C-alpha cells in the first residue's frame, strides 16, 4: 500500500468518528488488552479526531488532538500546547508510513488552532518512532492502563 492509496483527514462527521473508535478498539482494547472503559473518555467529545482511510473507504489509522483547557491536565497547563493521543494503526498497515502521516496530520490540526507545541504520552516501546519525528522525552516513566509511558514534546 503506497501513501497515495490512503488519505489522512480530520474526522468531520459521525461516521468518521466511528471509524476512529473502531480502529482504537482493535488496537488498544483487542490487541493490547486496555479495558474498554479506559480507552474511551469524556475527552472524545471535544477532541479533534484524525483518521487514515484507504481508497476503498476502510479506516486503518486514527489519533486525536486535545487543545485549550482540556489539554492542560496532560501538558502541564502550558498555553499553546496541544496533546496528541490515542494514535493507533491497524496491524496490517504498520510500517507503511501511516503513523507518520497521522502524527503530521494532528500537528497540522494543532497549527491550525494556533498551537506552538504538541505533547504526547508515548508507550515506551514507541519512543524511537516519536524521536524520529522530532519529539523529546521529559519527566519520569509512568503507567497508563498498566503500560509504561513517557511524556514527550515537539515544538511546531
Amino acid at each position: 500500500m503506497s501513501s497515495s492509496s490512503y488519505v489522512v483527514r480530520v474526522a468531520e462527521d459521525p461516521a468518521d468518528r466511528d471509524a476512529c473508535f473502531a480502529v482504537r478498539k482493535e488496537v488498544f482494547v483487542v490487541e493490547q488488552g486496555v479495558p474498554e472503559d479506559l480507552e474511551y473518555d469524556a475527552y472524545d467529545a471535544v477532541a479533534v479526531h484524525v483518521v487514515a482511510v484507504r481508497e476503498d473507504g476502510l479506516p486503518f489509522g486514527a489519533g486525536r488532538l486535545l487543545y485549550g483547557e482540556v489539554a492542560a491536565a496532560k501538558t502541564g497547563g502550558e498555553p499553546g500546547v496541544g496533546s496528541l493521543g490515542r494514535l493507533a494503526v491497524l496491524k496490517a498497515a504498520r510500517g507503511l508510513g501511516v503513523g507518520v502521516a497521522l502524527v503530521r496530520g494532528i500537528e497540522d490540526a494543532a497549527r491550525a488552532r494556533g498551537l506552538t507545541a504538541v505533547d504526547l504520552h508515548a508507550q515506551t516501546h514507541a519512543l524511537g518512532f516519536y524521536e524520529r519525528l522530532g519529539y523529546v522525552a521529559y519527566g519520569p516513566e509512568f503507567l497508563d492502563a498498566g503500560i509504561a509511558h513517557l511524556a514527550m514534546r515537539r515544538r511546531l
Side-chain angles (χ1 to χ4, degrees):
M1 180 183 324
S2 70
S3 62
S4 62
S5 63
Y6 67 89
V7 64
V8 172
R9 67 174 186 258
V10 171
E12 296 293 341
D13 58 38
D16 281 348
R17 285 176 37 109
D18 289 347
C20 290
F21 295 157
V23 169
R24 287 170 43 189
K25 182 173 186 173
E26 178 63 27
V27 172
F28 296 123
V29 177
V30 175
E31 187 180 325
Q32 294 184 356
V34 173
E36 200 162 350
D37 62 329
L38 292 180
E39 174 52 30
Y40 306 103
D41 58 28
Y43 296 124
D44 282 326
V46 296
V48 175
H49 296 273
V50 176
V51 62
V53 182
R54 285 192 335 200
E55 286 177 332
D56 64 5
L58 180 72
F60 57 89
R64 75 178 186 189
L65 172 70
L66 302 177
Y67 63 99
E69 288 183 25
V70 296
K74 296 181 177 288
T75 64
E78 190 175 327
V81 179
S83 177
L84 182 158
R86 303 302 202 266
L87 189 73
V89 176
L90 296 182
K91 195 177 285 189
R94 292 185 192 147
L96 302 175
V98 178
V100 171
L102 283 164
V103 169
R104 297 305 186 218
I106 291 167
E107 291 170 348
D108 289 346
R111 281 187 202 90
R113 286 155 181 81
L115 303 179
T116 58
V118 173
D119 270 18
L120 57 86
H121 294 164
Q123 293 181 5
T124 54
H125 72 83
L127 289 176
F129 168 77
Y130 290 113
E131 287 170 342
R132 287 188 296 278
L133 296 178
Y135 287 81
V136 177
Y138 67 91
E141 187 175 295
F142 61 94
L143 292 179
D144 187 1
I147 301 169
H149 285 71
L150 276 172
M152 301 184 85
R153 177 172 290 179
R154 178 174 184 261
R155 295 275 169 207
L156 299 177

